[in-house]
Each structure stands twice: as C-alpha cells, then as structure tokens.
Amino acid sequence: MAEQKRADYASTRPQANSAWVASVEEGSPAWEAGIEPGMRIARVNGVEPRDLIDWRWEADGACCELEVFDPRDNTTTPCELWREPGQDWGIDFTDVLFDGIRTCVNACQFCFMAMLPPEARATLTLRDDDYRLSFLQGNFVTLTNVSDEEADRIVECGLSPMNVSIHAITPEVRRSLIGRRADRGIEVLERLLAGGIEVHAQIVLCPGINDGAELAATLDWVEAHPGITSLAIVPLGYTKHSRRFKSSYSDDVEASRAVVRLLEPYQERARKTLGITRFQLSDEFYVDARLPVPAAETYDGYPQFYDGIGMLRSFLDETADVARSREDEIAALQDALTRAGLCARLVCGEAAQETIEAFCALFSPAGVVGTHAIRNDYFGGDVNVTGLIVSEDLLAQLPRDLLGTLVVLPEVMFNFDRLTLDGDTQSHIIENLERRGARVCVSVPNPGDYMDALGKALLGR
C-alpha cells in the first residue's frame, strides 16, 4: 500500500543506445563548443562512455576532450571543453544508460511482472536488474548478473549507496525464491561490503517461505554486516493473475503482528548500539496489523521512503504542519470552494484513503474536501496503492455526473510519458472527466502539494 512520488514503471520511449544529447544549456561549455541536441558523444577523453557513470567519471576535471558525432552529415569531430570550478558541462542525455539495460536473470516467485495482465504493454514486462540504475536511480537489484569486473567497477568508482534485494540468506531458500543464480547475489554483495560500499537492502516477505525462522536468520546476517545501513521489509503483493499466490499479510492480522514483534528486538539493539532503527517495516505491515505507524524519529531520516517506509508517518506529520503553518490558506480555499459551489475529491488507492482523510479533515464544513478511493479491479489481488490506479478503474468508478466537483488526480498514477498502466493518457482522462462536468487538476499526493494544487485551481496561485 505504499505511496510513491511517481509511478515506478517504464517509459514507452525506446532506450537511447549510445550517448545521445537531449539538450544543451545555453551559455554552457557544451553550448560554446557548438554541441547541439541530436548529436552523440562518441568518446570522452578517449573512452567510449557506457553510461552516465562513465561520463561523470571521465569528465570530472576542468577540461575534457570529446569526439562528437553529428548524424546530419555522419561526421565525427573532436572538440575540447573547459569549465570554471563548480560549472556544469551543460549536457543532458536522452538516457542514463548508453549501452542498453541489464535485464534480470532470475525467476523470483514473487515477481510482479509475472502477475501482469496478459495484454500489458511490452515496456511493463521489461525486467531490469541493472546495478547502474541502483546507484543512479535507486532501483533495487539482486546483483546475480554482476560480473567480477562490474563488481570491481562499483568499488573503484565508489558507487555508493547501492540498493540491494536480499530476500533470504539460507542458500536453499534463496534458490527457491530467486532461482539458480541466487548464491551469486550474496557473493557480490559481500564483495561490495568489503570494499566499503554502503547498502540499503530490501526483503520481499512471502508468507511461509522467507518469514519466521528464515527471516530471523536473514536479520542476524544483516545485523553482522554494518555496511548495510538500512533494511526494508515489504510484504508480498499479488494480483488476480498470480498462479502462485492467493493471499498475503493483508489477509492475516496475526501474521502481520508476528512480523512486527519479530523485528522489535533488532530495532531496539540497533537504536542502542548505532543510534538508528536500521531495520524498517513498510507501512503496510502496521496497517495490516492494525497498529499505529511509528514516530518520525524511528525512520532514520527516511532513507527508504520510496520503498514505502514511513510514507504514512510523513504524510500525517506534514498534515499537522500544514494545519499549523497554512491556516489562512486553508480558510481561503474553503471560502473559494463555497463561493464556486464546488467540493474537492482527492483520488487515491484504497490503502491510502484513511491517511489522506486526515488532510481532508482540515477543511470545513465536513465533506467539502474528501477522498474518492479507487478499487483496483484491473490488477485485483491485494493491489490497492495509488500509484497502480489505472484509467479503466478510475473512469468506471467515478460518478457520471461530476458537476460541482474538483477532481484531484494523483500524479503517481502516470508514468514519465503521462500514461497510465493500462495505456491511457492523462489528457484523455482529463477530457473525459471534464465532459462529466468536473474541474480537474493533478497533484503529488502529499499535504503540501495538495495545498498548492488546490490553490492553483481555485485561486490561480
């Protein structure tokens, strides 16, 4: 049920395949050298860059020598760039990977890609497991496809922190969960830790497979490796298309509470010896266990926020801050809604509804700002997060008559191309809702952004 800042699924655009220039900042060293969008950096200091890491590594100084390919006349031209201290080269690339993405070699039992609808577009079924995206974008990787040379590169270049999926530590359990290359992941992980790489780790917890005694064994192993500075434990999620799983912790209060209890002594020891909680449960576990989410100070500055660790606590605390610091704005928005004869409805997944209602309660009269939770029929199973809302469900479940309603769509249901998971466009959804009489805006689903979105829609600011 974790909320995300942006939906975590692929763009529909093809991958870059080489260091193609997307944009050049006017007045920058690259601009002064005549580099233009659509050109390709063939070499930097004699090295053909494989990715953004190579570019940053080779172009780290005050000067760099480039070979630039221009597809308009198929010529490659050398040029030399100079910059002042702290100045950027001024180049943005079309992708962070220039030689293609490393795909997954595993067969994880819990893989969400294997539970997608059969009609899902191809970009959604791309199973990436690229160590470079772990460093550059925070993706979790298993390290099972990392070669010795790549492991050396991670250490040599100091690609830290890395985000690594562990799942289990006992070899036979790992192989059962992940596949035959499971042992390689731990081998590489230990190599990185020995090389001083900081790791944020993750466990996807599957009932009856890697919980209980196996979870305790994994926690013991992590406890003995201080280079793992945070460990996120998230519950298995499944869809109606899963052939293996038909239930999870969302269906079992006592099982969820058992996980919370098992983790508590590890958290207490970490706070006592390290001053951090270190072992973190995703928000789902507290909701499924019907327990309050912990206080903000237990989240160690939220290092795994986008893995669903502490999002509910952060939302509740930010709501309290908005109530204290933006009281006049709240009153102005209430007045604007009343004068316009409107009510605002914040679209969300079922998992977040109760928490978002705490923000809605800042407004009066009751109901002038409220939520509309979308049940996820498209995926089914226990999928109930805002980031996985699809157009099909949203348009079917919102009222046909939306006259007098300001509909606030969550930005996280759209990818970078403003597409939903079922392939609809943001503009088409907005047009559909406007035909029903609604006013529509889009917002990141957190209190401050809600305030800003409502202010822009109602007050023009």
Side-chain angles (χ1 to χ4, degrees):
M1 63 163 289
E3 301 305 311
Q4 292 185 315
K5 183 128 181 119
R6 182 175 289 279
D8 186 21
Y9 53 92
S11 167
T12 56
R13 292 189 288 269
Q15 285 194 277
N17 189 25
S18 294
W20 293 99
V21 177
S23 63
V24 178
E25 181 183 354
E26 186 174 351
S28 68
W31 186 83
E32 295 284 355
I35 297 173
E36 300 177 22
M39 293 182 175
R40 175 168 61 85
I41 307 301
R43 291 185 179 275
V44 51
N45 293 336
V47 174
E48 183 178 355
R50 295 163 289 181
D51 45 48
L52 192 63
I53 298 167
D54 273 348
W55 166 255
R56 291 175 177 174
W57 184 265
E58 295 296 335
D60 186 48
C63 172
C64 67
E65 296 179 355
L66 304 182
E67 294 178 26
V68 182
F69 172 75
D70 190 337
R72 293 173 295 189
D73 56 9
N74 291 322
T75 59
T76 300
T77 305
C79 69
E80 191 174 72
L81 270 59
W82 289 86
R83 64 180 177 180
E84 298 296 327
Q87 187 180 20
D88 191 85
W89 294 117
I91 298 176
D92 280 328
F93 296 99
T94 57
D95 206 335
V96 298
L97 305 180
F98 307 152
D99 62 353
I101 198 168
R102 306 287 196 275
T103 54
C104 183
V105 297
N106 304 318
C108 295
Q109 292 188 34
F110 49 82
C111 180
F112 197 78
M113 304 302 182
M115 306 183 210
L116 291 174
E119 69 274 13
R121 64 177 182 268
T123 50
L124 297 181
T125 60
L126 174 67
R127 297 191 303 151
D128 67 274
D129 196 21
D130 198 311
Y131 74 91
R132 299 169 298 176
L133 294 182
S134 177
F135 172 70
L136 292 169
Q137 297 183 349
N139 293 17
F140 277 93
V141 294
T142 64
L143 303 176
T144 57
N145 61 359
V146 172
S147 67
D148 289 343
E149 292 76 17
E150 289 168 334
D152 289 341
R153 184 193 188 201
I154 294 170
V155 173
E156 179 185 357
C157 295
L159 304 186
S160 185
M162 294 286 287
N163 295 277
V164 180
S165 292
I166 297 177
H167 304 315
I169 196 60
T170 305
E172 56 269 25
V173 177
R174 280 183 57 80
R175 286 192 289 270
S176 170
L177 270 174
I178 300 172
R180 61 183 179 84
R181 292 182 61 86
D183 294 349
R184 175 61 178 171
I186 296 299
E187 178 185 332
V188 174
L189 176 55
E190 290 181 325
R191 187 169 177 170
L192 301 187
L193 291 169
I197 299 298
E198 178 186 359
V199 169
H200 297 304
Q202 177 198 62
I203 294 171
V204 175
L205 204 62
C206 302
I209 300 176
N210 61 337
D211 56 357
E214 179 59 28
L215 176 58
T218 307
L219 297 178
D220 289 342
W221 187 88
V222 170
E223 197 170 41
H225 290 77
I228 301 174
T229 57
S230 72
L231 174 69
I233 301 172
V234 302
L236 162 77
Y238 65 95
T239 78
K240 64 184 180 183
H241 304 282
S242 172
R243 298 174 183 174
R244 187 183 299 271
F245 299 105
K246 298 300 178 185
S247 66
S248 187
Y249 295 94
S250 57
D251 309 299
D252 193 332
V253 173
E254 287 307 315
S256 299
R257 290 183 176 178
V259 174
V260 175
R261 289 193 297 268
L262 193 154
L263 220 66
E264 286 173 346
Y266 293 91
Q267 295 172 322
E268 291 170 4
R269 284 196 297 272
R271 284 193 287 265
K272 183 176 180 179
T273 59
L274 303 173
I276 58 173
T277 302
R278 194 185 183 199
F279 299 90
Q280 303 280 5
L281 286 170
S282 68
D283 296 346
E284 292 100 320
F285 277 109
Y286 296 103
V287 173
D288 295 341
R290 300 174 189 169
L291 296 171
V293 293
E297 56 266 23
T298 66
Y299 285 104
D300 305 336
Y302 302 100
Q304 298 216 32
F305 186 79
Y306 294 114
D307 205 22
I309 308 297
M311 286 187 168
L312 296 186
R313 170 48 59 199
S314 177
F315 190 99
L316 293 171
D317 288 352
E318 188 174 343
T319 296
D321 182 63
V322 165
R324 288 189 300 268
S325 63
R326 303 178 72 168
E327 186 176 357
D328 291 344
E329 290 179 63
I330 293 171
L333 292 173
Q334 289 174 175
D335 182 61
L337 286 165
T338 300
R339 285 188 287 103
L342 291 172
C343 63
R345 290 295 174 263
L346 313 180
V347 172
C348 61
E350 292 177 314
Q353 183 175 24
E354 183 177 347
T355 300
I356 294 176
E357 285 287 356
F359 170 79
C360 299
L362 300 180
F363 297 84
S364 62
V368 68
V369 177
T371 59
H372 191 111
I374 302 299
R375 182 184 64 254
N376 202 311
D377 295 328
Y378 181 78
F379 286 112
D382 69 347
V383 175
N384 56 7
V385 301
T386 303
L388 298 182
I389 292 174
V390 299
S391 173
E392 176 183 307
D393 291 336
L394 182 142
L395 295 178
Q397 294 174 37
L398 286 177
R400 302 302 303 174
D401 182 3
L402 288 168
L403 195 65
T405 305
L406 171 60
V407 175
V408 183
L409 297 175
E411 188 186 56
V412 293
M413 69 177 285
F414 303 102
N415 77 347
F416 288 97
D417 302 321
R418 296 181 180 172
L419 285 177
T420 59
L421 281 160
D422 58 347
D424 203 356
T425 64
Q426 184 181 105
S427 60
H428 175 261
I429 292 172
I430 291 174
E431 290 168 5
N432 186 297
L433 298 178
E434 288 176 341
R435 286 197 299 270
R436 302 184 192 187
R439 291 173 61 176
V440 185
C441 65
V442 180
S443 175
V444 173
N446 67 53
D449 286 286
Y450 279 146
M451 289 290 293
D452 294 342
L454 291 172
K456 184 176 181 180
L458 296 167
L459 305 172
R461 65 187 188 197

